[in-house]
Amino acid sequence: MYSEKVMDHFNHPRNVGEMENPSGVGTVGNAKCGDIMRMYLDIDDNGIIQEAKFKTFGCGAAVATSSMATELVKGKTIQEALEVTNKAVMEALDGLPPVKVHCSLLAEEAIHAALWDYAEKNGIKIEGLERPVNDISEKEEEEEY
Ligand code: FES
C-alpha cells in the first residue's frame, strides 16, 4: 500500500523536533481529520532556508510527507519553497494512497504558515503566498501546544 520511500520516511523521519528562535513558525490543522502540524524554518539574510524542523500529531502519512517536505525545502529560496506543494512532496515519495492525499496537505500548509509568520515578523510580503485557511498558529500559542 505504501511506497518504500514513504515507509522509510515514516520509520526514520528527518528533521523532527523544535527550533529555538526560528525565522518563522506556523501551526496548521487538517480540516479533514483534526491532526496538527507545526513547522519551524530558519531563513538566512539571503532568504535561503537553512534549516527546517517539524512536529506533528498526525498519522504515518503526515509524518512521512512532512519529513520529505522539510528535506525538500532545505537549501531553497522562499520562492522555490513555495513550489514544494503537496503534489511535489507526494511525487518525491513515489505516491500516496488516495485516502491519504489529504494528509500531505498538512506539510504544504505548515510551510506556508511558517513563511507567513516570517513575512509578518519582517514586515514583508511574499509574492504568491497566502495564509493557509487552516493556520491555527495563534490559537496554538494561547494553548501552549
Ligand atoms: Fe490526519 Fe493523516 S489522517 S493527517
Side-chain angles (χ1 to χ4, degrees), residues 2 30 32-37 56-63 65 99-106:
Y2 289 112
N30 192 317
K32 210 154 173 182
C33 62
D35 288 344
I36 290 173
M37 176 168 315
T56 186
F57 284 120
C59 70
V63 172
T65 47
V99 293
K100 288 283 161 185
V101 170
H102 73 96
C103 312
S104 64
L105 278 169
L106 265 186

Side-chain angles (χ1 to χ4, degrees), residues 27-31 105 108-110 112-113 116 130-137:
T27 309
V28 292
N30 192 317
L105 278 169
E108 176 187 313
E109 293 204 330
H112 290 182
W116 186 268
E130 283 177 22
R131 187 174 191 183
V133 283
N134 298 313
D135 189 337
I136 54 169
S137 305

Side-chain angles (χ1 to χ4, degrees), residues 110-129:
I111 292 170
H112 290 182
L115 287 175
W116 186 268
D117 178 49
Y118 168 77
E120 284 213 315
K121 278 184 183 148
N122 290 281
I124 57 169
K125 189 172 177 346
I126 297 173
E127 188 85 18
L129 176 68

Side-chain angles (χ1 to χ4, degrees), residues 81-96:
L82 287 178
E83 285 162 28
V84 180
T85 58
N86 76 310
K87 201 162 163 268
V89 173
M90 282 195 296
E91 271 166 22
L93 286 169
D94 295 336
L96 275 178

